[in-house]
Amino acid sequence: MIILGIETSCDETAASICKDGKILSNFIYSQVKTHAKFGGVVPEIASREHIKKIAVVVQNALKQAHLDLKKIDAIAVTHGPGLIGSLVVGVSFAKSLSYSLNIPLITINHIEGHLLSAMIDSNLNFPFIGLVVSGGHTSIFKCTGLSKYKLLGLTIDDAAGEAYDKAAKLLGLPYPGGALIDKLAKNGNKKKYNFPIALKEKDNLNFSFSGLKTQIAYFVKEHKPSKKDIPNIAASFQEAVVDALTRKTLFAIKQTRMNKLAVAGGVARNSRLREKMEELAKENGIKCYFPKAEYCTDNAAMIAFAGWKHLSTRYGVRSTGYDFDAISNLKLTQ
Ligand code: KG4
Ligand code: ZN
């Protein structure tokens, strides 16, 4: 079964081909440079960029996979959550294509895409604890099967990636700053500053990162740190974020007695988070799965793969696929 995946929920226009669970191509046009001068994603610009690029991005994904459109069996597209103008571009494009090719269309929840991305090229299977950490989301799920994701905790304010990007901005670093903080932190002393984190109690699986951002803002205002001190601040900030993420993940594992953990989303690229999660896994006798770096930040491979998972297990398959919202999945229960 060959699936074309399309993802346009934020500022990446992406398309991918998945054949029987294997990713044949993963093409991403990132708008990051366009938005960098504004210090964040501008929704109106994002939608217009998607319109300009979507056709050529799909063509490139097909070309990379050495396939033409006639070989596609079904289309999977992100239907949410995300920026509405951006989502409409991908969904409308996918819907028209499925109608003209007379092939099924399945809509995929972006968070489910991230959760399942850890299954690509790995032996991860259900059940597992899934932590999604990205620019827009920070949530922990108990994942027991396709479409069976129980929300255990989530951020009550900023997402972890958002905290990274805001802290980077306060430190005078370019947008998006997550990867740069990760890099700078390697040469910094993570114990130099103590930036405490909120919601430390055991029975609470929610996160809060906005106070941390405020601490960085006050710190910068008060101390006017030198360029030499930036790596220390980056490392100390990162330690606080990673500590919050690993602490809550451990609570979730203990509470649910799961023995597998998947960490996905843009922040799952973070080297310190990977290190700490591996340590946690070792200490608690569980297995930890991270997607490959290219499947962490927004991409269509995870959408094509999720589409393949659903269609190949006959979940929500329809003989004619253009009624897109009828096959929407992901039930979030609290
Ligand atoms: O998953 P993603 O592409 O977008 C959303 O779905 O939100 O994640 C983007 C986020 C950005 O906030 C970016 O700063 C962060 O992932 N990020 C990182 C790293 N690489 C990307 N954060 C920390 N360390 C990294 N190495
Ligand atoms: Zn995402």
Side-chain angles (χ1 to χ4, degrees):
M1 189 189 278
I2 301 180
I3 314 284
L4 164 66
I6 294 176
E7 153 67 40
T8 63
S9 66
C10 192
D11 61 338
E12 263 88 33
T13 319
S16 164
I17 306 292
C18 175
K19 182 181 181 189
D20 300 328
K22 288 265 155 243
I23 302 301
L24 300 187
S25 67
N26 181 29
F27 194 87
I28 304 172
Y29 167 73
S30 176
Q31 306 173 4
V32 69
K33 282 196 183 131
T34 312
H35 298 284
K37 52 181 172 285
F38 302 103
V41 178
V42 182
E44 170 78 16
I45 296 176
S47 319
R48 289 173 187 273
E49 284 291 299
H50 286 308
I51 292 171
K52 276 194 226 155
K53 297 289 187 219
I54 184 81
V56 70
V57 163
V58 168
Q59 274 168 359
N60 275 305
L62 287 162
K63 207 164 139 191
Q64 258 183 13
H66 306 291
L67 287 175
D68 68 55
L69 267 180
K70 290 189 199 88
K71 295 275 188 242
I72 304 299
D73 296 308
I75 300 173
V77 64
T78 305
H79 72 96
L83 302 172
I84 188 63
S86 292
L87 289 163
V88 163
V89 178
V91 170
S92 307
F93 190 88
K95 211 172 173 184
S96 320
L97 204 55
S98 91
Y99 186 70
S100 62
L101 296 170
N102 194 27
I103 56 174
L105 173 72
I106 182 164
T107 55
I108 300 294
N109 182 293
H110 183 78
I111 309 294
E112 183 181 40
H114 276 306
L115 285 169
L116 299 188
S117 68
M119 285 186 172
I120 303 174
D121 300 333
S122 88
N123 62 359
L124 173 65
N125 49 26
F126 294 110
F128 61 89
I129 289 293
L131 171 70
V132 178
V133 262
S134 70
H137 309 275
T138 301
S139 319
I140 308 185
F141 297 90
K142 180 179 170 186
C143 308
T144 50
L146 270 187
S147 298
K148 291 187 184 140
Y149 312 108
K150 184 172 185 221
L151 183 63
L152 301 176
L154 79 172
T155 180
I156 58 165
D157 40 56
D158 293 351
E162 194 180 350
Y164 263 98
D165 296 339
K166 285 178 176 169
K169 198 172 175 179
L170 290 165
L171 296 175
L173 305 171
Y175 171 86
L180 203 52
I181 289 196
D182 188 4
K183 200 172 156 196
L184 287 169
K186 289 195 166 74
N187 298 316
N189 175 3
K190 57 181 181 291
K191 291 195 179 135
K192 177 140 189 208
Y193 301 108
N194 182 24
F195 297 122
I197 46 152
L199 306 179
K200 275 188 156 179
E201 358 28 293
K202 251 190 184 154
D203 53 350
N204 187 341
L205 293 185
N206 288 337
F207 303 91
S208 169
F209 294 109
S210 70
L212 185 58
K213 168 197 68 194
T214 312
Q215 287 183 60
I216 302 285
Y218 281 136
F219 183 90
V220 170
K221 209 172 160 195
E222 210 174 294
H223 298 273
K224 306 217 171 6
S226 66
K227 222 175 162 185
K228 248 176 75 193
D229 205 25
I230 301 288
N232 299 324
I233 305 169
S236 305
F237 160 83
Q238 174 161 282
E239 206 56 18
V241 175
V242 169
D243 185 39
L245 295 172
T246 41
R247 182 184 293 266
K248 299 296 165 120
T249 305
L250 181 60
F251 295 162
I253 286 163
K254 294 233 154 118
Q255 208 179 80
T256 57
R257 301 204 180 120
M258 291 275 157
N259 61 5
K260 279 169 278 169
L261 164 69
V263 185
V267 183
R269 280 188 171 203
N270 187 268
S271 58
R272 183 66 183 142
L273 181 65
R274 288 189 174 225
E275 205 173 82
K276 287 272 280 188
M277 287 293 185
E278 295 290 1
E279 272 173 27
L280 176 152
K282 214 170 158 191
E283 281 165 19
N284 291 278
I286 63 161
K287 217 164 164 211
C288 181
Y289 294 83
F290 282 97
K292 272 192 206 158
E294 68 204 273
Y295 305 144
C296 284
T297 36
D298 286 350
N299 66 89
M302 66 186 193
I303 304 303
F305 182 82
W308 170 77
K309 270 266 174 204
H310 279 281
L311 292 166
S312 63
T313 50
R314 297 195 158 255
Y315 178 88
V317 183
R318 297 199 129 208
S319 49
T320 52
Y322 53 86
D323 185 7
F324 75 92
D325 38 27
I327 350 177
S328 147
N329 42 64
L330 194 82
K331 292 178 188 69
L332 299 180
T333 50
Q334 215 163 359

